[in-house]
Amino acid sequence: LLVNHSISFQNLSFFYENAEKPALKNLNFDIKKGSSIGLVGSTGAGKTTLVDLILGLLEPSEGEFKVDHAIIDEKNTRQWQKSLGYVPQDIYLVDASISENIALGIPVEKIDQSQVEKCAELAQVHDFILEELAHGYQTQVGERGVRLSGGQRQRIGIARALYHDPEVLVFDEATSALDNVTEKAVIEAVNILSHKKTIIMIAHRLSTVKNCDQIIYLEQGEIIDSGNYQELIERNPKFRNMAI
Ligand code: DUT
Ligand code: MG
């Protein structure tokens, strides 16, 4: 899956049980391999629902979600998920070292420390780990270790998603706790990878998605506009308002 082609949504709708309105309504769009896409829209617009569909955690109520022309179903969900790196808004840290948290799921003796550090550098957290943590990458974090701030955890989460070198990166408000300068550095580092990876980035701040190839503007479950940043700024007054 995702060898050469694209992710596509065809007439896709999603209804939560007992909800009066669909959370997503008749979506049609494609994401080409190696492109970056920003998803914006106010709270409740359906952004996380869309991400959960992409992750294979939800199934469409109507229409289709396809990767390389194959419908994602029980048979291929696992295979699809292996190509994904996902950064949720809240990063869960386990009671283990920083290295183990970045290479989550890899037995200690198999951790590729140079890959850990490379990913931490891209996520703009390498200097913090070396300079501010007493035992560097071996510092214990989690419930019984050092407490990290929201922004530090987010950057560990980004390094964790990068560690497996996924083909597709999905960020759900993954940089929301970072200051503007750090966020910009993270986005720039990630964008350098973007010619080979597909990047799907959800954000409230338009600055986060400014350089995405395509921005999808969702409102109440519907795509109300899409295009690159400049196009949307020029033609869409609601989008312009978000930029202020
Ligand atoms: N919704 C439910 N049940 C759920 C989750 C969401 O009914 O378990 C509704 C709430 C909302 C719509 O679906 O009306 C879309 O929610 P979603 O979480 O996808 O919105 P968002 O764009 O991610 O909002 P936020 O910016 O607050 O994260
Ligand atoms: Mg959300």
Side-chain angles (χ1 to χ4, degrees):
L1 292 169
L2 215 81
V3 182
N4 279 310
H5 308 286
S6 65
I7 297 172
S8 78
F9 296 84
Q10 291 167 1
N11 306 320
L12 180 142
S13 296
F14 184 83
F15 305 84
Y16 285 102
E17 257 179 77
N18 305 322
E20 281 173 23
K21 294 185 300 172
L24 294 172
K25 205 158 129 193
N26 200 31
L27 304 190
N28 285 288
F29 69 95
D30 293 326
I31 306 173
K32 285 199 205 77
K33 184 182 162 94
S35 70
S36 58
I37 191 155
L39 278 176
V40 298
S42 50
T43 179
K47 304 180 298 294
T48 296
T49 306
L50 188 52
V51 164
D52 287 347
L53 282 154
I54 293 170
L55 298 176
L57 304 176
L58 296 174
E59 278 181 43
S61 310
E62 286 170 9
E64 282 158 357
F65 165 50
K66 289 180 175 173
V67 178
D68 286 353
H69 306 294
I71 292 174
I72 299 302
D73 56 22
E74 318 78 88
K75 293 191 293 292
N76 56 18
T77 299
R78 280 297 300 137
Q79 189 202 342
W80 165 235
Q81 286 171 338
K82 281 189 194 144
S83 63
L84 296 172
Y86 168 49
V87 188
Q89 185 165 0
D90 296 312
I91 301 300
Y92 178 75
L93 295 178
V94 295
D95 285 333
S97 68
I98 292 275
S99 283
E100 289 167 89
N101 268 281
I102 291 175
L104 191 66
I106 307 288
V108 184
E109 67 279 9
K110 292 202 173 139
I111 291 177
D112 177 348
Q113 186 59 25
S114 71
Q115 174 73 353
V116 165
E117 295 187 23
K118 190 178 130 204
C119 296
E121 273 177 43
L122 290 169
Q124 311 298 311
V125 71
H126 177 72
D127 292 349
F128 161 77
I129 293 166
L130 288 190
E131 289 163 18
E132 315 221 3
L133 298 178
H135 306 287
Y137 282 90
Q138 297 321 311
T139 306
Q140 296 292 303
V141 294
E143 290 286 305
R144 282 176 281 127
V146 180
R147 292 302 188 123
L148 299 183
S149 75
Q152 290 155 355
R153 299 161 81 97
Q154 282 193 332
R155 285 176 286 159
I156 300 281
I158 293 166
R160 178 187 286 170
L162 294 172
Y163 182 85
H164 296 281
D165 200 19
E167 289 177 77
V168 183
L169 275 170
V170 182
F171 285 14
D172 190 350
E173 304 272 0
T175 55
S176 60
L178 306 183
D179 61 74
N180 287 328
V181 175
T182 310
E183 180 186 46
K184 194 154 177 272
V186 171
I187 304 277
E188 272 169 14
V190 170
N191 279 340
I192 289 169
L193 306 169
S194 73
H195 50 274
K196 51 187 185 115
K197 293 186 195 301
T198 304
I199 298 177
I200 300 168
M201 209 172 265
I202 288 187
H204 269 107
R205 278 187 282 189
L206 287 188
S207 59
T208 314
V209 297
K210 200 167 181 173
N211 294 317
C212 287
D213 299 321
Q214 196 189 359
I215 298 173
I216 290 188
Y217 184 7
L218 279 175
E219 211 55 271
Q220 300 194 36
E222 289 183 81
I223 298 177
I224 60 167
D225 211 343
S226 66
N228 68 31
Y229 182 83
Q230 206 50 43
E231 287 164 358
L232 293 180
I233 282 286
E234 277 166 23
R235 70 162 175 249
N236 196 313
K238 282 173 94 178
F239 188 83
R240 256 198 315 273
N241 277 338
M242 282 178 73
I244 297 165

